Amino acid sequence: MKALIRLLVVTLVPLTPLAAQGFGHMADPSAAEGAPAAGAEVPSTPLSGKVVETANMGGYTYICLEKDGKKVWAAIPEAPVAVGREISLKPGMEMKNFESKGLKRTFESIYFSEGVAVKPADTTGKSSAGSKANVVSPTEKISVEKASGPNAYTVAEIHQQKGKLDGKKAVVRGKVTKVAAGIMDRNWVHLQDGSGDTKKGTHDLTVTSQDLPAVGDVVTASGTLRKNKDFGGGYKYEVIMEEGSIKP
């Protein structure tokens, strides 16, 4: 992280080409009022909360996070981030009164982060961000029409035919009920379509993907199914879709 801070300061000093892209125009960010000097210690607590606003500019994604009624701005290397989802970012260096010409606004306070935080592996082996223990039980009736095509299945059908479908391509349509981002360099998306048994856990399918849908979105996911997948650290799945492509 210290190396990132030094790099950030060095690249921001010479106005071009970064200033032309809209990522500030200060001759020396470390001289900005209240900004920490290069090499300053970075807070250890990750930035987290609900994404309420985003903007892309100059190769960066600006994110406004809200938690417990408080809002904070952060900037990460450009990435798809959906409004409405919960997210945690790696700790970042705070800069005060930072002006972005591209966005035509001045941030009273903003944190520069390397990106989405990686959750430490669960060493207990009992639960994880994607394990059955953390599957969301629906609080309302979910009814999503089955995807079309020869490789289309409902969530229940995938669980029922997991042996036959192991290693095969599949397509499933469902509602996003949970998203765990940036864990083991991928995002873990839980889909439900109203089929399956909530008591047995066959109503939920986890999809790993580089895409980041928001909770509540109805999407179509396509990828490779795997049965009895164990990633270690408590990440165990009777069936999972890997390297999924998730589209509206």
Side-chain angles (χ1 to χ4, degrees), residues 116-185:
V116 177
V118 177
K119 183 176 179 179
D122 182 350
T123 57
T124 66
K126 295 180 180 180
S127 66
S128 68
S131 69
K132 186 179 291 186
N134 281 334
V135 169
V136 175
S137 296
T139 57
E140 60 182 2
K141 183 177 176 59
I142 295 177
S143 181
V144 178
E145 185 177 352
K146 180 179 177 179
S148 60
N151 295 325
Y153 301 88
T154 66
V155 171
E157 288 171 342
I158 288 175
H159 282 275
Q160 292 167 356
Q161 303 177 47
K162 61 185 177 184
K164 183 178 71 173
L165 295 175
D166 185 29
K168 302 290 182 60
K169 296 288 185 179
V171 178
V172 62
R173 187 161 177 78
K175 184 175 183 178
V176 179
T177 59
K178 185 175 181 179
V179 178
I183 301 174
M184 295 191 288
D185 298 321

Side-chain angles (χ1 to χ4, degrees), residues 20-42:
Q21 296 173 337
F23 200 76
H25 68 282
M26 296 175 291
D28 184 357
S30 64
E33 181 181 351
E41 291 298 322
V42 175

